[in-house]
């Protein structure tokens, strides 16, 4: 595990790289933006009493701020731990699934439209009545108790189209126990129906296989899964692709990169209210219960080198 002081220095380097990028590419209103980013960095420090990275005051709220992203992961991890306990106390037996869905890469200038599109495509799959080999009809919706959606952006230049970006969903699905038996949906079925939905909506010239993943995770791993999913992009990739980043950043304004439904939405609301009360009673330091197993948690998915 990285020491908090080491993580803090790394966050400072990332923030400096971001401010340099905005300056050299004359990002709109970059002086004001960089001033807010710098204030966010100055408000963050390693608390000598707790040996944790702490922040006082309001955040800058910029989606590309390394410090805001760090504290968001901390907050979401703590909330997920509370949700975990509530799920354990549910009277209904359930299984926990992590569903990953992608769409073909697209021009960075289409980001807002594609983000809206992938949300609609997920809903189409969620409600889709699928036919199993034995003729039984099933759907995610029929056995779902709640879900969390997280959207990830990929700006890396591993593809020939230099302005292309990738977008995918990580969906944490809480399904009734029957999902493991007669209401089950397999990875193969997800691949088949997601490909059909995406190809039909995008009206692709030929049937294109769309990458998916579908697996079970232990309930006790929920906070770790959330901690990974909440990180919508890698700061290092943004730095490596400056032209795409400059085109992408304005489109992130006021966009939502997560949503919740069902029991998870209810449990999260209760956990958030409790978390905010603890934070306020702790002189606005981000609250983590001393009896929580995450009391020594340091996010490890800030950049590839921290995974």
């Amino acid at each position: 595990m990285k020491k908090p002081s080491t993580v803090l220095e790394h966050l400072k380097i990332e923030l400096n790289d971001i401010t340099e990028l905005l300056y050299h590419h004359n990002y709109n209103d970059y002086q004001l933006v960089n001033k807010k980013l710098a204030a966010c960095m100055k408000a963050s420090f390693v608390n000598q009493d707790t040996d944790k990275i702490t922040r006082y005051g309001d955040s800058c709220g910029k989606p590309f701020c390394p410090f805001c992203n760090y504290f968001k992961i901390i907050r979401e991890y703590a909330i997920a731990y509370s949700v975990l306990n509530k799920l354990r106390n549910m009277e209904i037996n359930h299984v926990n699934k992590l569903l990953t869905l992608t769409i073909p890469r697209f021009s960075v200038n289409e980001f807002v439209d594609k983000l809206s599109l992938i949300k609609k495509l997920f809903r189409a799959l969620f409600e889709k009545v699928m036919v199993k080999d034995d003729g039984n009809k099933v759907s995610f919706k029929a056995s779902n108790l709640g879900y969390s959606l997280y959207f990830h952006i990929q700006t890396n230049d591993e593809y020939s189209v230099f302005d292309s970006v990738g977008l995918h969903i990580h969906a944490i699905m809480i399904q009734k126990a029957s999902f493991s038996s007669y209401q089950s949906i397999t990875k193969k079925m997800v691949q088949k129906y997601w490909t059909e939905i995406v190809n039909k909506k995008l009206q692709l010239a030929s049937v294109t296989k769309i990458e998916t993943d579908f697996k079970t995770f232990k309930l006790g791993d929920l906070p770790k899964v959330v901690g990974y999913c909440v990180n919508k992009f890698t700061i290092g990739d943004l730095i490596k692709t400056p032209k795409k980043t400059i085109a992408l950043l304005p489109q992130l304004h006021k966009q939502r990169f997560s949503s919740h439904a069902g029991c998870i939405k209810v449990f999260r609301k209760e956990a958030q209210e409790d978390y905010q009360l603890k934070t306020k009673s702790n002189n606005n330091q981000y609250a983590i219960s001393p009896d929580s197993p995450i009391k020594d948690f340091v996010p490890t998915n800030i950049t590839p080198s921290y995974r």
Side-chain angles (χ1 to χ4, degrees), residues 66-105:
F67 286 89
C68 286
N69 287 340
Y70 174 88
F71 285 110
K72 183 174 183 179
I73 294 172
I74 286 283
R75 182 180 68 249
E76 288 297 311
Y77 200 101
I79 290 172
Y81 177 72
S82 179
V83 171
L84 162 64
N85 287 330
K86 294 176 184 294
L87 287 170
R88 280 177 171 161
N89 293 327
M90 285 181 66
E91 295 181 358
I92 302 175
N93 292 330
H94 53 83
V95 293
N96 320 295
K97 295 286 186 176
L98 180 61
L99 174 65
T100 302
L101 305 168
T102 68
I103 59 174
R105 290 176 72 96

Side-chain angles (χ1 to χ4, degrees), residues 27-306:
Y27 183 73
N28 184 43
D29 217 5
Y30 73 86
Q31 291 177 318
L32 177 60
V33 173
N34 282 353
K35 184 177 180 179
K36 290 181 177 179
L37 289 170
C40 204
M41 178 182 69
K42 291 178 181 178
S44 306
F45 59 95
V46 177
N47 187 310
Q48 298 301 315
D49 294 328
T50 62
D51 195 31
K52 301 183 189 307
I53 300 176
T54 303
R55 176 168 67 187
Y56 285 104
D58 297 330
S59 65
C60 71
K62 298 299 179 183
F64 45 86
C65 172
F67 286 89
C68 286
N69 287 340
Y70 174 88
F71 285 110
K72 183 174 183 179
I73 294 172
I74 286 283
R75 182 180 68 249
E76 288 297 311
Y77 200 101
I79 290 172
Y81 177 72
S82 179
V83 171
L84 162 64
N85 287 330
K86 294 176 184 294
L87 287 170
R88 280 177 171 161
N89 293 327
M90 285 181 66
E91 295 181 358
I92 302 175
N93 292 330
H94 53 83
V95 293
N96 320 295
K97 295 286 186 176
L98 180 61
L99 174 65
T100 302
L101 305 168
T102 68
I103 59 174
R105 290 176 72 96
F106 52 87
S107 169
V108 64
N109 296 317
E110 301 177 277
F111 177 77
V112 173
D113 289 339
K114 296 300 185 185
L115 179 61
S116 176
L117 173 65
I118 198 171
K119 293 177 181 179
K120 294 176 182 177
L121 294 177
F122 168 80
R123 193 68 196 178
L125 180 70
F126 181 74
E127 297 177 350
K128 180 69 176 179
V129 176
M130 309 179 197
V131 181
K132 301 177 67 172
D133 291 339
D134 60 6
N136 190 28
K137 295 181 179 180
V138 295
S139 71
F140 280 109
K141 184 178 181 180
S143 61
N144 184 258
L145 297 171
Y147 63 75
S148 289
L149 302 182
Y150 298 93
F151 302 89
H152 281 202
I153 309 167
Q154 296 169 298
T155 63
N156 56 60
D157 272 329
E158 297 176 1
Y159 299 82
S160 57
V161 182
F162 74 92
D163 74 334
S164 73
V165 294
L167 183 64
H168 62 271
I169 295 175
H170 288 306
I172 296 173
M173 314 283 285
I174 307 300
Q175 303 290 137
K176 295 177 183 177
S178 57
F179 193 80
S180 296
S181 55
Y182 67 93
Q183 285 188 311
S184 65
I185 294 175
T186 65
K187 184 175 181 179
K188 183 178 179 180
M189 291 169 66
V190 169
Q191 178 71 64
K192 173 187 174 182
Y193 284 98
W194 180 250
T195 297
E196 288 181 0
I197 290 171
V198 174
N199 275 275
K200 181 178 180 180
K201 186 64 177 180
L202 297 181
Q203 297 181 331
L204 301 178
S206 58
V207 177
T208 302
K209 183 178 179 181
I210 311 298
E211 184 178 348
T212 63
D213 194 19
F214 190 45
K215 53 192 173 186
T216 303
F217 67 90
K218 296 179 181 178
L219 185 57
D221 290 335
L222 177 64
K224 292 181 180 179
V225 174
V226 170
Y228 169 74
C229 290
V230 75
N231 205 22
K232 56 186 169 290
F233 46 60
T234 301
I235 296 295
D237 283 348
L238 296 183
I239 301 302
K240 293 176 184 177
T241 55
K243 291 184 178 180
K244 265 192 282 193
T245 297
I246 292 298
L248 174 67
L249 295 187
Q251 300 180 74
L252 303 182
H253 184 58
K254 292 186 178 181
Q255 297 296 334
R256 293 185 61 188
F257 292 93
S258 64
S259 64
H260 314 277
C263 65
I264 292 185
K265 183 176 182 179
V266 173
F267 293 159
R268 279 181 55 84
K269 183 178 180 180
E270 295 172 354
Q272 285 174 319
E273 291 172 352
D274 181 57
Y275 183 81
Q276 289 170 357
L277 288 174
K278 288 180 179 178
T279 299
K280 289 181 180 179
S281 66
N282 197 30
N283 296 322
N284 287 326
Q285 295 187 50
Y286 286 83
I288 295 180
S289 173
D291 59 350
S292 167
I294 65 169
K295 60 183 183 297
D296 297 320
F297 172 71
V298 174
T300 56
N301 60 336
I302 305 300
T303 68
S305 62
Y306 273 66

